[in-house]
């Protein structure tokens, strides 16, 4: 590979790390902000988590060239930008930061030179800490036992047999008249509690809710529908509300480039954002491309919440791309760095699996994950509690070694699957839970596994391999939603009723056929300060 390519790679990495460093510095401590008056421990952990996710996974690449550059650039740029906050506080002799350090004997206010020496010492101490942090995250990835050559991978000639569910179809229109009034169409439909309960009883022939209700939104253009019909092998991703730009997959063999459709699902806001920030090529059929990615526009997003919209291509991929036999989902902020054919061979074909997903780095129980989501303000705390109370009432126990699963909590950013009937049923049921309750899909995955009582088989592979599949890029901006800051159900009343989502999570506001007041959630032990 020529030198100009490596030079461009280095420039891209430096640019990303500068942006990453600015983001981390901004979120951890504003310039001159007094660290002694930060509100509470949760706030500090939230900032530390943001800082960790910014730099950490970015180094978990198998591409050695990028690892070397990243490990050199991250400590320098992140340390410099991050240290500006400490510099600003230290240079203010009236700040509590300076007074606190003086009390500890780390600075001496009597002489200006002492302060400068202390400042320089503090900077280098911080540089060393960040360097150690970067190095430690280099260890979080591990080698993946991939086949040596994608050209020599043998693709199975037949589909895996459908033994449990042999015919799966979808409800596309509800009876939308309740108490004499017409209900508005919803993408996920108006699923009743009885319909939900029946859907968890697999039969040879099934018909279930699975999104895409008539007039519910998420319409695809005719040109895109025509294109995706030819896609049998799919790498799918999605960007909603302009939070990312497409990251080009690397290390993709010519065979995989011909075999796979690389489909990036976007809404209209994201398409406009992408056009303004990267080069979009249009082919003779009107298809829009960014490098390998074919952009697939979904008009009329079905939900108010962008994160919930993102679950449509992620979870019910088979509904968007019905001809796909195999699919690999990769979150929009990730750059895939492993050949997709090698991924199918490693995670599916080698040991005859049909569904693969990574184990969560920190959590085994959905109740641990729920606690983490509340502390990190990923959705309204009382609604997460309500979601978990429903699952607890329905018999979902915390994970234990007695269970037949590695964990109840996955890392959902990469999903590898063959589209068998049982896998498609699982995806529909998983999506229905995300549609009914909170958009935090990691809370629902283990529950649906539990309800299918061992009929759904999957391979949960080690988290360190997951970290070696991609390079994690920062979002173009921070996601923020008012509902994430809600601490009490009373905050949804009166003038704040607009905090409620109007088209998703409606199961949280529908009377539940059971006594949830008597439910006591299982105690949770915090497995990680970051998680």
């Amino acid at each position: 590979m020529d030198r100009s390519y490596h030079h461009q790679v280095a420039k891209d990495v430096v640019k990303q790390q500068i942006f990453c460093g600015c983001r981390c510095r901004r979120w951890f401590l504003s310039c001159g902000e007094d660290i002694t008056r930060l509100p509470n421990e949760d706030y500090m952990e939230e900032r530390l988590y943001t800082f960790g996710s910014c730099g950490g996974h970015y180094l978990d690449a198998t591409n050695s060239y990028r690892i070397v550059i990243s490990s050199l650039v991250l400590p320098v740029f992140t340390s410099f930008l991050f240290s500006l906050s400490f510099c600003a506080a230290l240079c203010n002799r009236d700040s509590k930061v300076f007074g606190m350090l003086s009390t500890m004997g780390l600075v001496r206010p009597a002489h200006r030179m002492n302060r400068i020496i202390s400042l320089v010492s503090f900077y280098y101490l911080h540089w060393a800490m960040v360097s150690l942090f970067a190095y430690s995250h280099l260890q979080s990835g591990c080698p993946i036992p991939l086949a040596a050559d994608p050209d020599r991978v043998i693709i199975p000639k037949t589909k895996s047999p459908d033994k449990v569910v042999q015919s799966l179809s979808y409800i596309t229109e509800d009876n939308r008249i309740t108490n004499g009034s017409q209900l508005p169409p919803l993408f996920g439909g108006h699923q009743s509690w009885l319909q939900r309960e029946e859907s968890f009883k697999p039969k040879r022939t099934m018909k279930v809710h699975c999104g895409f209700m008539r007039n519910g939104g998420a319409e695809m253009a005719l040109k895109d529908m025509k294109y995706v019909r030819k896609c049998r092998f799919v790498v799918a991703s999605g960007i909603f509300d302009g939070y990312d730009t497409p990251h080009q997959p690397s290390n993709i063999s010519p065979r995989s480039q011909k075999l796979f459709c690389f489909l990036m699902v976007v809404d209209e806001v994201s398409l406009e954002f992408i056009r303004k920030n990267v080069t979009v090529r249009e082919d003779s059929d009107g298809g829009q491309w960014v490098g390998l990615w074919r952009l697939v526009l979904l008009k009329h997003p079905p939900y108010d919440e962008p994160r919930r919209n993102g679950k449509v291509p992620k979870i019910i991929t088979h509904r968007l791309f019905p001809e796909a036999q195999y699919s690999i989902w990769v979150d929009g902020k990730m750059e895939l760095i492993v050949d997709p054919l090698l991924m199918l061979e490693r995670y599916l074909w080698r040991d005859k699996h049909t569904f693969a997903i990574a184990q969560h780095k920190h959590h085994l129980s959905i109740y641990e994950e729920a606690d983490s989501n509340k502390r990190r303000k990923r959705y309204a705390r009382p609604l997460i509690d309500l979601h978990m109370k429903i699952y607890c009432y329905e018999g979902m126990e915390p994970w234990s070694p007695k269970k037949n699963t590695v964990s109840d909590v996955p890392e959902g950013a990469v999903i590898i699957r063959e589209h068998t009937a049982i896998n498609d049923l699982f995806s529909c049921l998983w999506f229905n839970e995300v549609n009914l309750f909170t958009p935090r899909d990691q809370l629902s995955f283990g529950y649906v596994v539990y309800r299918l009582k061992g009929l759904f088989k999957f391979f949960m592979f080690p988290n360190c391999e997951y970290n070696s599949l991609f390079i994690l890029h920062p979002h173009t901006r921070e996601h923020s939603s008012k509902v994430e800051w809600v601490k009490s159900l009373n905050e949804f009343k009166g003038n704040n009723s607009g905090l409620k989502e109007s088209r998703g999570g409606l199961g949280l506001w529908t009377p539940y056929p059971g006594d949830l007041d008597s439910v006591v959630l299982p105690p949770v032990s915090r497995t990680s300060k970051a998680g």
Side-chain angles (χ1 to χ4, degrees):
M1 199 168 289
D2 61 30
R3 185 176 299 175
S4 62
Y5 172 81
H6 290 303
H7 180 67
Q8 183 60 45
V9 167
K11 286 175 62 179
D12 290 345
V13 172
V14 170
K15 181 172 67 174
Q16 287 293 337
Q17 297 292 16
I18 291 174
F19 178 63
C20 188
C22 291
R23 171 175 171 266
C24 292
R25 187 205 59 76
R26 183 176 71 250
W27 275 99
F28 184 77
L29 192 64
S30 302
C31 285
E33 185 178 357
D34 194 336
I35 63 172
T36 61
R37 61 180 175 84
L38 293 178
N40 52 44
E41 184 185 11
D42 286 350
Y43 179 95
M44 290 295 288
E45 288 196 5
E46 171 69 14
R47 300 311 123 208
L48 284 167
Y49 183 88
T50 302
F51 177 64
S53 64
C54 186
H57 289 300
Y58 195 87
L59 301 177
D60 295 329
T62 54
N63 186 318
S64 59
Y65 187 81
R66 290 195 176 192
I67 286 180
V68 172
I69 291 179
S70 297
S71 61
L72 291 173
V73 170
L74 178 66
V76 176
F77 281 99
T78 307
S79 178
F80 172 72
L81 294 165
F82 185 55
S83 297
L84 291 179
S85 301
F86 291 96
C87 293
L90 282 171
C91 290
N92 178 6
R93 69 175 62 195
D94 297 320
S95 74
K96 292 182 180 178
V97 175
F98 187 85
M100 179 181 67
L101 294 175
S102 177
T103 302
M104 296 167 62
L106 295 176
V107 295
R108 293 178 60 189
H111 197 282
R112 184 174 182 83
M113 184 56 68
N114 287 336
R115 185 177 299 183
I116 294 173
I117 293 172
S118 299
L119 180 62
V120 173
S121 300
F122 217 68
Y123 171 82
Y124 279 104
L125 175 62
H126 177 64
W127 184 91
M129 291 173 65
V130 173
S131 299
L132 182 62
F133 170 82
Y135 177 77
S136 68
H137 276 75
L138 276 170
Q139 315 307 311
S140 61
C142 63
I144 307 173
L146 296 171
D149 184 359
D151 289 335
R152 303 183 73 174
V153 170
I154 299 174
I155 300 173
K157 294 181 180 180
T158 59
K159 281 187 62 176
S160 298
D162 290 314
K163 297 179 181 179
V164 180
V165 179
Q166 296 184 350
S167 176
L168 180 66
S169 58
Y170 309 109
I171 297 170
T172 57
E173 196 158 9
D174 278 325
N175 178 11
R176 295 190 284 111
I177 298 178
T178 301
N179 297 327
S181 61
Q182 186 86 3
L183 296 173
L186 294 174
F187 178 81
H190 297 271
Q191 185 185 32
S192 68
W193 294 115
L194 179 59
Q195 286 175 318
R196 172 177 176 264
E197 189 63 28
E198 287 298 312
S199 70
F200 290 121
K201 301 173 183 177
K203 298 179 286 289
R204 291 170 66 89
T205 300
M206 296 194 70
K207 189 172 186 178
V208 297
H209 284 83
C210 199
F212 291 95
M213 302 295 285
R214 195 182 311 279
N215 299 320
E219 293 93 3
M220 194 188 300
L222 187 61
K223 62 183 179 183
D224 293 328
M225 292 175 63
K226 182 179 178 181
Y227 178 83
V228 303
R229 283 196 197 105
K230 69 178 184 179
C231 298
R232 301 292 183 269
F233 292 76
V234 169
V235 175
S237 189
I239 297 173
F240 290 85
D241 209 33
Y243 282 103
D244 303 282
T245 55
H247 303 291
Q248 291 306 306
S250 55
N251 305 314
I252 310 300
S253 66
R255 185 185 183 190
S256 288
Q257 290 186 36
K258 292 179 181 178
L259 185 65
F260 283 84
C261 295
F262 291 81
L263 304 175
M264 177 67 70
V265 182
V266 298
D267 60 2
E268 291 168 298
V269 172
S270 299
L271 181 59
E272 184 64 25
F273 179 80
I274 291 168
R275 282 173 172 164
K276 290 180 179 178
N277 288 277
V278 299
T279 301
V280 177
R281 172 177 61 87
E282 188 166 314
D283 62 23
S284 58
D285 296 323
Q288 300 178 87
W289 298 79
V290 176
L292 281 178
W293 291 111
R294 164 72 181 239
L295 302 182
V296 177
L297 175 64
L298 288 189
K299 294 183 178 179
H300 310 115
Y303 299 109
D304 313 321
E305 171 63 45
R307 281 179 172 158
R308 205 183 287 272
N309 286 321
K311 309 308 176 187
V312 175
K314 173 179 179 175
I315 300 179
I316 49 174
T317 314
H318 66 286
R319 297 284 278 132
L320 273 175
F321 314 126
E323 301 303 322
Q325 295 174 7
Y326 296 93
S327 72
I328 298 172
W329 168 264
V330 182
D331 273 5
K333 62 185 176 182
M334 293 175 171
E335 174 189 336
L336 185 66
I337 58 173
V338 175
D339 188 284
L341 197 54
L342 296 181
M343 291 174 67
L344 290 181
E345 192 282 330
R346 158 70 182 107
Y347 295 110
L348 299 187
W349 300 332
R350 186 180 303 178
D351 295 313
K352 294 182 171 53
H353 300 297
T354 63
F355 192 108
I357 196 166
Q359 180 180 353
H360 194 278
K361 185 175 183 179
H362 300 299
H363 304 140
L364 298 170
S365 165
I366 65 168
Y367 300 107
E368 294 170 353
E369 176 68 12
D371 178 69
S372 172
N373 275 234
K374 289 192 295 180
R375 287 187 287 108
R376 290 161 52 198
K377 299 177 180 64
R378 293 299 188 242
Y379 202 65
R381 297 180 187 186
L383 296 184
I384 291 176
D385 281 339
L386 179 56
H387 187 181
M388 292 300 97
K389 281 189 173 185
I390 291 173
Y391 284 177
C392 188
Y393 182 86
E394 294 176 346
M396 180 66 181
E397 296 180 354
W399 184 89
S400 76
K402 295 179 181 178
K403 290 193 173 186
N404 293 323
T405 57
V406 175
S407 168
D408 286 337
V409 186
E411 291 280 10
V414 177
I415 307 172
I416 307 156
R417 57 198 147 183
E418 178 184 357
H419 288 287
T420 63
I422 189 66
N423 287 349
D424 290 347
L425 173 65
F426 174 84
S427 297
C428 290
L429 302 184
W430 187 15
F431 177 79
N432 290 342
E433 296 299 290
V434 171
N435 173 70
L436 276 173
F437 305 122
T438 70
R440 309 307 304 176
D441 55 77
Q442 289 163 305
L443 300 179
S444 304
F445 180 91
Y447 172 79
V448 178
V449 171
Y450 150 70
R451 290 303 305 268
L452 291 179
K453 299 178 179 178
L455 294 176
F456 170 68
K457 308 292 185 182
F458 64 102
F459 173 37
M460 185 168 272
F461 56 90
N463 184 271
C464 66
E465 288 192 28
Y466 160 83
N467 284 320
S468 297
L469 293 170
F470 59 83
I471 294 174
L472 181 65
H473 294 271
H475 289 303
T476 57
R477 57 191 172 89
E478 288 297 327
H479 182 279
S480 181
S481 173
K482 291 181 180 179
V483 73
E484 295 174 353
W485 296 86
V486 171
K487 297 180 180 179
S488 167
L489 288 176
N490 291 330
E491 295 180 46
F492 288 102
K493 297 178 181 178
N495 295 331
N496 291 326
S497 59
L499 288 173
K500 291 183 183 179
E501 292 185 65
S502 62
R503 294 177 289 172
L506 302 186
L508 297 167
W509 304 102
T510 304
Y512 181 75
D515 180 15
L516 297 180
D517 292 335
S518 63
V519 174
V520 178
L521 291 176
V524 172
S525 59
R526 295 168 63 171
T527 56
S528 166
K529 289 186 177 181

